[in-house]
Amino acid sequence: MEIRSHKFRQNAADALANEQLQNALAHVRSKFIQKRAKAVNNLKAFDTLRDNATAIKNHTLENLDVYLEIFEEKVIAQGGQVHWAATAQEARGQVLDICRRVPAKTVTKGKSMISEEIELNEFLEQNDITPVETDLGEYIIQLRGEHPSHIIAPAVHVNMDQVRDDFRKHHTHLPEDRVLEEPKSLLLEARGILRERFLKADVGITGANFLVAETGTSVIVTNEGNGDLTQTLPRVHIVLASLEKVVPTLEDMSQILRVLARSATGQEMSVYTTLSSGPKRPDDVDGPEEFHVILLDNGRSSMLGTEFQDMLRCIRCGACMNHCPVYHAVGGHAYGWVYPGPMGAVLSPSLAGVDKTGHLPNASTFCGRCESVCPMHIPLPKMMRHWREREFEQHLSPPSNRRNLKLWAWFAVRPGWYRLMTRFSHLGLRILSGWSGSIRWLPFARGWTRHRNMPGPERQTFMQAWQRHLVERRKS
Amino acid sequence: MSTRSEILKKIRGAVGGPDEKNVRRVSVEQHIKRHPAGTLPSKISSKAGAIKLFIKRAKSADATVEQCGTANVAEQVASFLREHNLPATCRTGTDYKLKRLVSSKANLLELSEGPSDGNDITAISCALGGAAETGTLILVSGPENPTTLNFLPENHIVILHEKDIVPHQEDLWKKIRKKYGSGEMPRTVNMITGPSRSADIEQTLILGAHGPLRLHIIIVKG
């Protein structure tokens, strides 16, 4: 998809004014947070498991070359094939080659963010192959011609009424007067339509939550069972996975699974965790005849050994965006590329370039909730700060920002001047607030006061209060 | 240089450097061989405790659970089908132990054999085991229990022997290593916790998405 992250300000303003979107985002604010909190509170060992999961991924990244080689050896030994792709273009080409050889007309797909990253659907369509998204959320947005706005709940920006309208518009072979009042009837309709697609597809494409080196296994985690049908029914199964998905052993996978579902949907376990190893065996009566794994780099190896290496621990649970006040306010599409929320603000500049996505690490209040809920202890705010520094170093930030920062820096290293300046600003703000109330109009910050009042300052600055505190302590 | 060697070279340059003497490879292989278990959260000391916890967790994931002796499995299946007004026909794989359990003198059930083509209403499978911690079933592919039976029929009945209920997933990985060999796997291992569901419309949870609408577990005693 075209990168629209440079328009973040405009996207955010549009999102804030979009009443329908704001209604939909309320579900993120309430449901996701409650469910996770409950699941985490029910497991005493959660924090220990987080530490373990983090250590497992760190160890794997430190030996990523060796683990990938072992994974590859195991896949080949089981009769599968591994394809290495440095870029999105290369990965797309590999998928197309396999599809053409089959030859495939229809491809069913399990939910995969890598598929979004490499813009696979558009590419397959251009080459006369029909991609069919089978996850309910992905199916809805495919009908709408949209991209996911959340990494685990792709249609979280859509309301039920919209889904109903879309189904009526697209499922024209069904009776017009059918009742579609409940989410359940919408789900059953999608189930019926996609069932036929599953049975007719020539190739099934899934992502991977894990690649297990020990056994050459790709693992997907789903609730609907769509990914599982995708990789069982067609003659060919293609796994799209990025390099960092590898974990050493089944036990290591189990440690991470315990924090994954709890952090994502608040479940103890997702309904289906499916482990696929190679193509069907000689005596198997179902399963695919071919098993391909496409290992995608697309910028990840360049993150290793840098201050952004920790981001490669990410298991795509979505907890960071579920708890982000900025995501709550503007939703996923405003971020303008594949990965939204705090994880996207760190990952997008790494994969797509800070020149195109530099607004994203700036779209944070640094409240730190993302880091506090991240099951892999990824220091997201710190990494966003690194990107802000790089943006500044590369002269990508607007001149007014740079000027103001320089001015601030001049004061910041001169404490006397700094205190004098704060006293003047304090006085100014007190006057603007009418000595006690809130501020309705502020020069240089009208963007703020146009939408809401700014609280007026306390009577004293922190330094004044501190001095007074010291004096009183000495007296007593 | 191929893409593969370029990517590997880049990774080596960033982490550990070239592994000429295979030092990292050897230590990684040792880790895989030892496959340490990490932290196991629930302390379960007895078999009875594991069974009780399994039932509790499976039910909280919206599965239905019954316990019975080996002689009553067919009756249990028939009563589940009656309760939901379902025909008495079921699809199974070639698992002869399972077939012996569900066949009865009274011919309560009509069984057909093989993978599912999407037209079966009910399937019966036998699980390799169950992890009590989360009420999770583990099923493995093969002609005995084809994978399509786990997903295509609307109703999935799973037979689980008491002796196969273990505290944690890790116990099941041990079992799989013993059965298939270290580092070897069947084509598909399905970990199943409850019937399929979706919350993709307004984050409202609905049971019965692409997989089964009902998951019924029959725990066989002895």
Side-chain angles (χ1 to χ4, degrees):
Chain A
M1 68 193 268
E2 181 204 354
I3 303 174
R4 290 174 297 103
S5 305
H6 58 282
K7 292 184 191 153
F8 180 80
R9 278 160 186 255
Q10 187 54 50
N11 299 346
D14 295 345
L16 286 166
N18 183 338
E19 201 178 321
Q20 176 277 321
L21 175 67
Q22 292 300 321
N23 288 339
L25 286 172
H27 298 300
V28 179
R29 283 193 286 269
S30 57
K31 293 182 185 169
F32 274 119
I33 293 180
Q34 281 168 14
K35 285 189 219 164
R36 176 196 171 272
K38 201 175 154 204
V40 168
N41 290 336
N42 281 341
L43 185 69
K44 279 197 197 112
F46 188 80
D47 277 329
T48 315
L49 287 162
R50 267 170 98 176
D51 296 343
N52 296 354
T54 304
I56 288 166
K57 274 283 187 180
N58 282 345
H59 163 81
T60 315
L61 292 173
E62 291 300 328
N63 297 286
L64 188 60
D65 50 335
V66 183
Y67 279 116
L68 286 170
E69 281 174 333
I70 293 177
F71 172 78
E72 182 187 38
E73 287 161 21
K74 291 301 293 189
V75 172
I76 293 171
Q78 283 159 335
Q81 294 180 49
V82 176
H83 313 263
W84 300 69
T87 60
Q89 191 191 0
E90 207 171 335
R92 285 194 297 261
Q94 287 162 346
V95 174
L96 184 63
D97 285 347
I98 298 168
C99 290
R100 286 226 168 114
R101 193 173 38 72
V102 170
K105 275 188 188 156
T106 310
V107 171
T108 44
K109 295 183 66 213
K111 197 179 137 29
S112 157
M113 291 309 292
I114 299 294
S115 162
E116 294 291 333
E117 185 182 321
I118 67 172
E119 300 169 79
L120 186 60
N121 286 0
E122 295 83 345
F123 179 75
L124 289 176
E125 279 164 4
Q126 285 160 16
N127 287 282
D128 299 320
I129 296 168
T130 311
V132 181
E133 294 289 350
T134 63
D135 170 86
L136 179 62
E138 290 280 351
Y139 177 68
I140 291 168
I141 58 169
Q142 191 183 24
L143 290 183
R144 298 172 62 81
E146 293 177 335
H147 292 280
S149 69
H150 189 290
I151 60 173
I152 68 159
V156 76
H157 59 284
V158 183
N159 292 118
M160 194 176 83
D161 296 346
Q162 294 171 298
V163 180
R164 188 185 301 136
D165 295 346
D166 293 327
F167 279 18
R168 288 202 191 280
K169 188 170 139 200
H170 289 275
H171 303 162
T172 45
H173 61 293
L174 295 172
E176 264 178 55
D177 57 350
R178 67 194 188 278
V179 180
L180 288 176
E181 291 311 310
E182 298 284 320
K184 177 115 194 165
S185 45
L186 294 166
L187 176 62
L188 285 176
E189 182 163 314
R191 176 185 160 111
I193 283 173
L194 287 168
R195 185 52 72 91
E196 286 169 40
R197 302 298 199 117
F198 277 125
L199 293 164
K200 281 186 192 150
D202 309 297
V203 171
I205 300 179
T206 67
N209 290 81
F210 305 99
L211 303 172
V212 184
E214 176 191 7
T215 50
T217 299
S218 79
V219 184
I220 60 164
V221 177
T222 80
N223 275 320
E224 297 181 9
N226 64 307
D228 318 89
L229 287 170
T230 301
Q231 60 185 29
T232 304
L233 295 173
R235 206 169 68 67
V236 177
H237 175 200
I238 303 176
V239 178
L240 289 175
S242 49
L243 302 175
E244 82 282 9
K245 291 286 169 212
V246 70
V247 292
T249 65
L250 293 169
E251 278 76 3
D252 292 328
M253 174 194 74
S254 289
Q255 290 287 294
I256 304 175
L257 274 177
R258 287 192 175 93
V259 296
L260 173 60
R262 287 180 173 94
S263 301
T265 52
Q267 290 166 284
E268 292 184 349
M269 276 284 281
S270 300
V271 176
Y272 302 112
T273 300
T274 296
L275 291 74
S276 298
S277 314
K280 73 193 242 192
R281 306 296 146 81
D283 60 344
D284 276 341
V285 290
D286 48 21
E289 287 159 33
E290 290 180 33
F291 178 70
H292 299 268
V293 181
I294 294 176
L295 286 175
L296 176 72
D297 182 348
N298 208 25
R300 286 160 178 86
S301 59
S302 306
M303 294 163 71
L304 284 168
T306 72
E307 63 266 57
F308 301 109
Q309 177 168 321
D310 290 346
M311 189 60 218
L312 296 174
R313 289 202 298 265
C314 178
I315 52 172
R316 308 287 191 267
C317 69
C320 60
M321 58 198 73
N322 292 342
H323 291 76
C324 176
V326 177
Y327 182 94
H328 289 170
V330 300
H333 285 156
Y335 289 80
W337 198 52
V338 180
Y339 301 101
M343 59 78 66
V346 174
L347 192 61
S348 304
S350 298
L351 303 184
V354 68
D355 52 328
K356 298 192 189 82
T357 57
H359 277 316
L360 304 186
N362 288 298
S364 166
T365 62
F366 280 1
C367 71
R369 275 170 99 185
C370 51
E371 185 177 354
S372 75
V373 296
C374 175
M376 304 306 284
H377 287 305
I378 300 172
L380 291 157
K382 189 175 95 182
M383 289 193 283
M384 282 184 243
R385 197 164 44 76
H386 287 319
W387 277 124
R388 291 186 188 184
E389 281 162 11
R390 289 217 185 167
E391 190 193 23
F392 190 83
E393 282 161 15
Q394 293 175 27
H395 293 265
L396 296 167
S397 41
S400 59
N401 281 12
R402 307 179 66 79
R403 229 174 15 242
N404 292 342
L405 268 173
K406 274 191 183 146
L407 187 67
W408 183 84
W410 188 91
F411 280 104
V413 294
R414 291 170 179 83
W417 283 102
Y418 191 91
R419 262 169 241 164
L420 191 68
M421 180 192 67
T422 34
R423 267 163 71 181
F424 274 120
S425 345
H426 180 247
L427 183 68
L429 288 173
R430 293 263 292 153
I431 295 169
L432 283 171
S433 71
W435 301 102
S436 60
S438 49
I439 300 163
R440 300 162 69 92
W441 179 84
L442 197 61
F444 311 115
R446 267 170 287 176
W448 173 291
T449 46
R450 199 182 318 145
H451 297 287
R452 51 190 135 17
N453 292 343
M454 180 157 143
E458 295 293 322
R459 279 168 174 275
Q460 297 174 315
T461 66
F462 172 78
M463 288 307 281
Q464 286 166 339
W466 180 246
Q467 292 298 341
R468 197 165 163 184
H469 167 76
L470 289 180
V471 169
E472 275 170 19
R473 199 163 67 176
R474 230 172 284 146
K475 272 189 210 159
S476 64
Chain B
M1 211 182 338
S2 71
T3 302
R4 179 184 182 280
S5 36
E6 256 173 58
I7 293 175
L8 286 171
K9 192 179 158 200
K10 222 167 149 191
I11 297 173
R12 282 192 190 110
V15 297
D19 193 22
E20 275 154 16
K21 293 193 177 135
N22 278 333
V23 181
R24 287 193 293 127
R25 171 95 192 193
V26 169
S27 93
V28 158
E29 279 174 354
Q30 273 170 356
H31 175 78
I32 290 178
K33 210 172 159 192
R34 285 188 298 116
H35 48 79
T39 302
L40 304 178
S42 33
K43 291 195 175 49
I44 300 156
S45 46
S46 68
K47 193 79 196 176
I51 295 168
K52 209 175 141 194
L53 183 63
F54 178 88
I55 295 173
K56 191 179 156 194
R57 291 287 184 243
K59 282 183 175 169
S60 75
D62 302 293
T64 47
V65 186
E66 289 291 345
Q67 286 175 283
C68 70
T70 46
N72 301 80
V73 178
E75 270 169 46
Q76 277 296 342
V77 173
S79 101
F80 169 82
L81 297 175
R82 267 198 312 276
E83 190 190 327
H84 295 286
N85 224 0
L86 297 166
T89 48
C90 298
R91 191 84 169 163
T92 69
T94 60
D95 193 332
Y96 72 95
K97 282 185 197 157
L98 179 141
K99 293 192 123 175
R100 211 165 49 201
L101 282 173
V102 293
S103 48
S104 60
K105 279 184 198 147
N107 284 329
L108 291 169
L109 305 169
E110 199 179 304
L111 301 175
S112 66
E113 189 183 287
S116 181
D117 60 0
N119 292 315
D120 306 294
I121 296 170
T122 306
I124 313 177
S125 312
C126 189
L128 182 80
E133 183 188 350
T134 48
T136 299
L137 296 164
I138 297 230
L139 292 103
V140 293
S141 58
E144 296 83 8
N145 292 287
T147 304
T148 38
L149 298 191
N150 304 344
F151 293 100
L152 286 174
E154 284 184 9
N155 306 281
H156 193 206
I157 300 172
V158 179
I159 310 291
L160 173 65
H161 292 277
E162 263 187 357
K163 66 174 172 53
D164 296 326
I165 298 182
V166 292
H168 302 104
Q169 290 172 29
E170 284 77 356
D171 303 301
L172 293 162
W173 304 142
K174 265 186 225 159
K175 201 167 177 175
I176 284 187
R177 283 197 190 96
K178 205 170 153 194
K179 186 171 176 188
Y180 295 89
S182 204
E184 301 302 318
M185 293 280 269
R187 150 66 195 173
T188 306
V189 176
N190 292 121
M191 304 170 76
I192 300 180
T193 316
S196 77
R197 66 200 62 196
S198 175
D200 271 345
I201 301 174
E202 297 194 351
Q203 304 308 296
T204 306
L205 185 72
I206 310 159
L207 292 185
H210 296 292
L213 290 100
R214 296 189 189 92
L215 176 69
H216 186 60
I217 304 170
I218 299 177
I219 299 177
V220 182
K221 290 179 186 167

